[in-house]
Amino acid sequence: MEHMIGILRQEIRQPSNPFQNLSERGLCRARINALEKIIPELAKQNPQPRISVDLGRGYILLGSRDATTRFVNPFYIPAIHHYFASNRVQFEEDWVPWLKRWARV
């Protein structure tokens, strides 16, 4: 609910009459939602995330990972550089890798 209020707040274009504009934006949003339910082809299709498993019936199992990237411990940087060099991956010599941590099962 708070997310929807934030979206509608951003869509208000006339600060002189915000309540009328807000009601018009809400009505427009409701009409679009109704049309998408009646004609599903109109709805925007979000692509399935790269690391996920389709469980069917509209459910997707997502891989868990950090939302932010992190610096690699300096102890591991030479090993990562050696791995990339041995697999002919081109990179700058002073490149410092950033990684996202994945969950373990």
Side-chain angles (χ1 to χ4, degrees):
M1 185 68 161
E2 292 174 2
H3 180 69
M4 190 64 197
I5 291 171
I7 291 172
L8 289 173
R9 183 176 173 208
Q10 291 175 353
E11 292 180 356
I12 295 175
R13 295 193 180 113
Q14 296 174 352
S16 62
N17 196 354
F19 296 109
Q20 180 180 0
N21 197 320
L22 181 62
S23 65
E24 287 177 10
R25 296 304 305 166
L27 183 61
C28 181
R29 175 85 49 173
R31 288 177 179 158
I32 290 171
N33 288 342
L35 282 173
E36 287 177 350
K37 292 297 179 189
I38 294 170
I39 308 169
E41 293 82 24
L42 294 177
K44 294 177 184 174
Q45 297 295 323
N46 293 335
Q48 185 172 332
R50 188 172 52 103
I51 305 296
S52 62
V53 177
D54 188 1
L55 300 176
R57 298 169 131 189
Y59 291 99
I60 298 174
L61 180 64
L62 300 173
S64 180
R65 66 178 176 172
D66 276 344
T68 60
T69 55
R70 301 172 186 273
F71 280 115
V72 174
N73 185 330
F75 178 76
Y76 299 111
I77 293 175
I80 294 171
H81 283 199
H82 176 70
Y83 175 78
F84 282 163
S86 65
N87 287 295
R88 298 186 181 110
V89 176
Q90 296 180 357
F91 61 93
E92 306 262 341
E93 285 298 321
D94 59 346
W95 173 69
V96 177
W98 291 57
L99 298 177
K100 284 189 177 185
R101 294 187 304 183
W102 290 83
R104 296 182 220 163
V105 178

